[in-house]
Amino acid sequence: MKERLLPLTSTKSENGRWDLVQINHLVKYFPVRGGLLQRVVGWVKAVDDVSFTIREGETVGLVGESGCGKTTVGRTILRLIEPTSGSVVFEGVEVFKLRGRELKEMRRKMQIIFQDPYASLDPRLPIGESIAEGLKIHGVGDPKDRYDRVIEMLRKVGLEEYHARRYPHEFSGGQRQRIGIARALALLPMFIVADEPVSALDVSIQSQVLNILRNLQREFSLTYLFIAHNLSVVEHISDRVAVMYLGKMVEMADRNELFRNPLHPYTQALMSAIPVPDPNLKRERIILQGDVPSPLNPPHGCRFHPRCPVAFDHCAIQEPPFIEASPNHWVACWRIM
């Protein structure tokens, strides 16, 4: 077993895919202000030393409870939120060091699908103009070229040309999410952060949107970071799965390996909550005790130890390293050492 160490240059994985995105020791703290002068009185440790890679053409699922830092990771990678420390390397380029025109060019290659498509669309603009906005900002083509690109993207997600003249309030939730996908795709990016893109949709609509994402991935050679809390959805779409708890990465492995052999007690508890589609079979539930600690004052040692059913004294003293317990299966747990 060896401790995780990520290089700052593109490397080739065992299956021949390049590491398109490398996240190294990513940290994001949010200040808490109080008092008459609004001084900083504490820090919310939303993301605390997270490292992993995303290979070209694959989908990495990022899961965990609400408030664990999943969305903050995705937005910080894209620099929608500025990091506290750490680095993100995209195609061998350090993203956090880019400024001005270089950063603008990088943003063409990295896009996001938001969880709430209605909140991310301008209600005063027809959706065709919303989709074309990024094309205008980056100076892509003339008005006719941009219009043709918008219609092409709408058709890729199952909508028609006449939809471009309609406003966001005229669409259903599933249609608005398709519009969000079309907008993210308009600049022909290489990497897309999908921030819980199906969590607010009906199950039947979820499957349609997931199938659209997979078809687009094959057609445009896209790479996804798929953020979700629904493990069944993550199992369906992901190649590898990473599990977060209270700002920390606790486990990461290939999808089949993680669902077949979860090693971390937190991952095991999550897996036990997945419904079994057979009334004659029952999965033994692992019920975690207590509430999730506050990221404002996380526990010492392993952050999961106050709720862990197999914790022992050392878990409360020292934080476990993120180690490779078996080939391509990483975990942070003293029980695995």
Side-chain angles (χ1 to χ4, degrees):
M1 295 187 293
K2 56 179 182 291
E3 197 167 338
R4 188 172 184 81
L5 180 63
L6 294 177
L8 290 177
T9 57
S10 294
T11 56
K12 207 168 188 179
S13 64
E14 292 180 359
N15 61 6
R17 289 176 172 175
W18 292 95
D19 289 337
L20 180 67
V21 187
Q22 299 174 338
I23 297 91
N24 296 280
H25 307 293
L26 184 63
V27 175
K28 178 58 186 177
Y29 293 170
F30 292 98
V32 177
R33 301 181 183 276
L36 184 63
L37 300 177
Q38 290 294 294
R39 291 192 176 96
V40 176
V41 296
W43 296 91
V44 175
K45 299 178 179 179
V47 179
D48 199 0
D49 195 13
V50 166
S51 297
F52 63 102
T53 62
I54 305 172
R55 300 166 189 156
E56 184 181 17
E58 78 168 347
T59 299
V60 171
L62 186 59
V63 302
E65 292 172 294
S66 296
C68 72
K70 307 185 299 294
T71 294
T72 303
V73 167
R75 295 191 177 200
T76 307
I77 290 172
L78 301 182
R79 282 188 65 181
L80 298 179
I81 301 173
E82 290 296 325
T84 300
S85 64
S87 71
V88 170
V89 179
F90 179 80
E91 285 194 302
V93 177
E94 172 55 72
V95 175
F96 295 160
K97 293 181 180 179
L98 296 178
R99 297 291 184 273
R101 183 177 296 179
E102 291 180 336
L103 178 59
K104 184 178 178 180
E105 285 299 313
M106 182 66 73
R107 290 194 188 280
R108 288 189 61 173
K109 303 177 182 180
M110 307 169 75
Q111 292 291 307
I112 185 169
I113 301 168
F114 292 100
Q115 179 179 2
D116 184 355
Y118 189 64
S120 64
L121 292 170
D122 190 336
R124 300 166 298 178
L125 290 180
I127 61 102
E129 292 188 29
S130 291
I131 296 172
E133 194 169 14
L135 299 172
K136 292 179 183 177
I137 291 171
H138 289 276
V140 177
D142 56 30
K144 184 182 183 304
D145 292 334
R146 291 194 289 267
Y147 179 80
D148 291 343
R149 176 77 65 85
V150 168
I151 302 309
E152 179 189 1
M153 293 303 110
L154 284 175
R155 286 176 173 156
K156 293 290 184 186
V157 299
L159 298 175
E160 297 297 334
E161 181 175 354
Y162 66 86
H163 286 123
R165 298 184 292 274
R166 293 186 176 181
Y167 289 84
H169 72 273
E170 299 180 76
F171 295 92
S172 66
Q175 287 176 320
R176 283 197 288 262
Q177 195 57 278
R178 291 169 188 246
I179 294 165
I181 295 171
R183 184 174 59 176
L185 197 63
L187 286 166
L188 304 179
M190 300 174 63
F191 173 60
I192 293 178
V193 174
D195 184 10
E196 303 204 33
V198 298
S199 63
L201 306 179
D202 293 336
V203 174
S204 59
I205 306 301
Q206 285 185 13
S207 62
Q208 294 175 18
V209 172
L210 291 174
N211 288 334
I212 287 172
L213 289 172
R214 297 195 74 167
N215 292 338
L216 292 173
Q217 183 175 37
R218 286 192 291 266
E219 183 174 354
F220 293 96
S221 301
L222 296 171
T223 302
Y224 292 140
L225 175 63
F226 190 91
I227 300 169
H229 58 262
N230 187 326
L231 287 169
S232 298
V233 169
V234 169
E235 184 179 16
H236 174 72
I237 198 170
S238 301
D239 298 301
R240 289 188 297 151
V241 179
V243 183
M244 284 188 67
Y245 181 81
L246 204 63
K248 289 282 188 182
M249 192 77 76
V250 297
E251 189 165 2
M252 185 171 189
D254 291 340
R255 173 193 59 195
N256 293 334
E257 168 67 13
L258 189 78
F259 281 82
R260 180 184 61 83
N261 182 34
L263 297 179
H264 197 279
Y266 177 62
T267 311
Q268 293 169 0
L270 291 180
M271 298 297 180
S272 74
I274 300 175
V276 179
D278 187 338
N280 298 317
L281 294 177
K282 290 186 178 181
R283 181 180 277 125
E284 184 179 350
R285 285 292 308 275
I286 300 174
I287 307 299
L288 299 177
Q289 303 299 316
D291 297 324
V292 180
S294 169
L296 187 62
N297 185 27
H300 292 290
C302 174
R303 295 193 174 182
F304 185 59
H305 86 265
R307 306 175 69 199
C308 181
V310 296
F312 60 104
D313 292 344
H314 191 67
C315 298
I317 299 171
Q318 187 176 356
E319 180 183 323
F322 200 45
I323 57 96
E324 192 172 20
S326 61
N328 298 315
H329 193 154
W330 300 82
V331 65
C333 181
W334 287 117
R335 287 283 183 184
I336 309 300
M337 303 293 175

